[in-house]
Amino acid sequence: MNQLQNFTKGFIKENPVFILLLGLCPTLGVTTSAINGLGMGLATAFVLTMSNLVISIIKNVIPDKVRIPSFIVIIASFVTIVELVMQGFLPTLFEQLGLFIPLIVVNCIVLGRAEAFASKNTILSSIIDGLGMGLGFAFALTVLGSIREILGSGAIFGWKFIEGDGMLVFVLAPGAFIVLGYLIAVVNKMNKA
Amino acid sequence: MEYILIIIGAIFVNNIVLSQFLGICPFLGVSKKISTAAGMSGAVLFVMTLATIVTWLIQNYILDPFNIGFLQTITFILVIASLVQMVEIILKKISPALFQALGIFLPLITTNCAVLGVAILTIQKDFNLLEGVVFAISHAIGFGLALIIFSGIREHLDLMEVPKGMRGVPIALVTAGILALAFMGFSNLV
């Protein structure tokens, strides 16, 4: 597999949200608007890329038995960095994402890539894999957030183009499940065709 | 009265799965049969309560006095991971029957964001230890309630005629959405 394929596989073919169904908690929880989805996606992409990088560098040093705890500590360190940086520079976004920032640690997609890819591959392809998967995740969250924002409040990225209130249910919890359900059905159809 | 509010709030109003979106992975993963759903709920109840007690003690007696609150995320996840391991070892020795019943679900709980989420929420809400325990237990019950209702629906769903493209996960998610809609009926209760 060449590096370009390695990079693009995260977007549609092996998209973490639509195909692998990993990391669904933040996917559903923070996508009340497109900007929240994008912010969360980029934060996760950063953690994913950096932890993939570090893990592929030290993969030969870590004893096999304690590899999962070591991976978790590495991931948790980067999550703490993101948490502090976001709190300092993007306080409003930090407030809105709230609990889901520390929860990037237990996002299965990060640990999943560490275990399935970074611990077996070279540094360069691990970085590219992390970047591709992370951006694929951000892409999925932005799409979901945009759809919910358009249907729920008639706006996109905060720019209102439909007058009136919109269908509030799509901003609330049930809308998240329903929109994601239909999106997955559409992606499945596209992948088969 | 305060405790009753915490309990009703955690089980119905802010149901951890259907309105806070924590623990979605087991919610979709182990909800195909009622019996496995019940096993998972039991294991979560156990670990969530223990984890909340331990993390509360760590936060209030170690992290706060030494002013190292920024280590919260790293500490909590390590504590939960080792706690799960420990529970597994102890359970194997003391109660092999319970270990058999919970067996495969225990390791899965480490990556269940509901456990870490509730531990952090307890700290954020400034609960004392007893309130924290009540909070954790009622959240776990809320998780179990949602999981068992959902698995009951999914068992029926298997027998239904579902359009081809919607089979499997998509229809499960739409069902969960309708379930969440039903739980919104509780939203002004507290």
Side-chain angles (χ1 to χ4, degrees):
Chain A
M1 184 163 43
N2 65 36
Q3 298 295 12
L4 186 68
Q5 272 173 332
N6 188 11
F7 179 69
T8 54
K9 70 174 188 281
F11 284 87
I12 292 289
K13 226 173 91 211
E14 285 181 37
N15 188 290
V17 175
F18 297 139
I19 308 294
L20 304 176
L21 302 173
L22 292 175
L24 289 186
C25 304
T27 306
L28 295 165
V30 302
T31 51
T32 48
S33 69
I35 193 79
N36 283 4
L38 186 63
M40 183 69 200
L42 292 182
T44 312
F46 171 77
V47 173
L48 194 53
T49 313
M50 295 309 286
S51 61
N52 259 8
L53 165 69
V54 172
I55 287 165
S56 72
I57 290 175
I58 61 169
K59 61 175 183 280
N60 296 325
V61 186
I62 306 174
D64 211 33
K65 269 187 187 156
V66 292
R67 67 178 195 288
I68 301 280
S70 333
F71 292 170
I72 289 183
V73 174
I74 293 168
I75 295 167
S77 322
F78 284 112
V79 171
T80 309
I81 293 174
V82 169
E83 218 178 329
L84 294 175
V85 169
M86 216 180 233
Q87 198 169 13
F89 293 101
L90 299 163
T92 30
L93 189 64
F94 180 78
E95 202 95 318
Q96 283 184 337
L97 299 182
L99 187 60
F100 285 98
I101 298 284
L103 288 182
I104 297 176
V105 179
V106 279
N107 190 333
C108 342
I109 183 68
V110 182
L111 190 61
R113 289 329 282 178
E115 168 76 5
F117 200 92
S119 62
K120 296 191 191 89
N121 286 283
T122 59
I123 297 171
L124 183 66
S125 37
S126 297
I127 297 177
I128 292 173
D129 174 78
L131 211 56
M133 278 289 169
L135 291 179
F137 185 72
F139 165 71
L141 259 65
T142 315
V143 170
L144 189 60
S146 312
I147 295 177
R148 285 179 69 189
E149 201 180 349
I150 292 170
L151 292 176
S153 52
I156 185 163
F157 286 105
W159 175 65
K160 202 159 168 60
F161 60 96
I162 301 172
E163 290 303 313
D165 282 339
M167 292 173 273
L168 190 62
V169 71
F170 283 102
V171 178
L172 298 172
F177 288 108
I178 294 172
V179 172
L180 183 62
Y182 282 107
L183 267 178
I184 291 177
V186 169
V187 171
N188 280 348
K189 185 84 192 164
M190 269 163 54
N191 267 6
K192 253 175 228 147
Chain B
M1 193 57 207
E2 216 176 292
Y3 292 107
I4 296 176
L5 284 184
I6 293 180
I7 294 171
I8 294 179
I11 298 180
F12 296 111
V13 182
N14 291 315
N15 186 285
I16 189 158
V17 181
L18 297 171
S19 81
Q20 300 191 58
F21 302 112
L22 299 176
I24 300 284
C25 306
F27 182 67
L28 291 173
V30 295
S31 60
K32 292 209 174 100
K33 272 165 70 188
I34 293 184
S35 53
T36 49
M40 185 69 185
S41 315
V44 167
L45 177 67
F46 198 62
V47 174
M48 199 183 269
T49 316
L50 262 181
T52 307
I53 297 173
V54 176
T55 51
W56 190 90
L57 292 174
I58 288 179
Q59 176 78 27
N60 282 281
Y61 290 103
I62 299 176
L63 296 187
D64 281 350
F66 293 105
N67 208 8
I68 43 174
F70 63 91
L71 286 176
Q72 194 192 46
T73 313
I74 302 181
T75 327
F76 280 19
I77 189 66
L78 275 181
V79 167
I80 291 172
S82 37
L83 197 70
V84 171
Q85 283 275 305
M86 200 184 72
V87 167
E88 217 179 327
I89 295 169
I90 294 177
L91 220 56
K92 205 173 186 175
K93 199 85 186 164
I94 296 180
S95 163
L98 191 61
F99 177 76
Q100 281 290 321
L102 299 182
I104 41 166
F105 300 114
L106 277 174
L108 288 177
I109 291 179
T110 317
T111 48
N112 183 343
C113 47
V115 176
L116 182 62
V118 168
I120 295 176
L121 274 177
T122 311
I123 305 298
Q124 278 180 358
K125 290 191 187 258
D126 256 336
F127 283 141
N128 64 33
L129 187 54
L130 188 60
E131 282 170 339
V133 172
V134 173
F135 186 71
I137 293 178
S138 22
H139 263 112
I141 294 173
F143 177 81
L145 183 72
L147 191 60
I148 291 171
I149 294 178
F150 188 54
S151 59
I153 298 176
R154 272 187 97 173
E155 280 191 357
H156 282 275
L157 215 53
D158 283 343
L159 308 171
M160 299 291 158
E161 232 4 87
V162 178
K164 219 176 180 179
M166 295 293 288
R167 267 178 216 161
V169 180
I171 192 73
L173 279 166
V174 174
T175 312
I178 296 169
L179 196 57
L181 209 54
F183 266 75
M184 270 176 64
F186 295 115
S187 61
N188 281 327
L189 213 58
V190 175

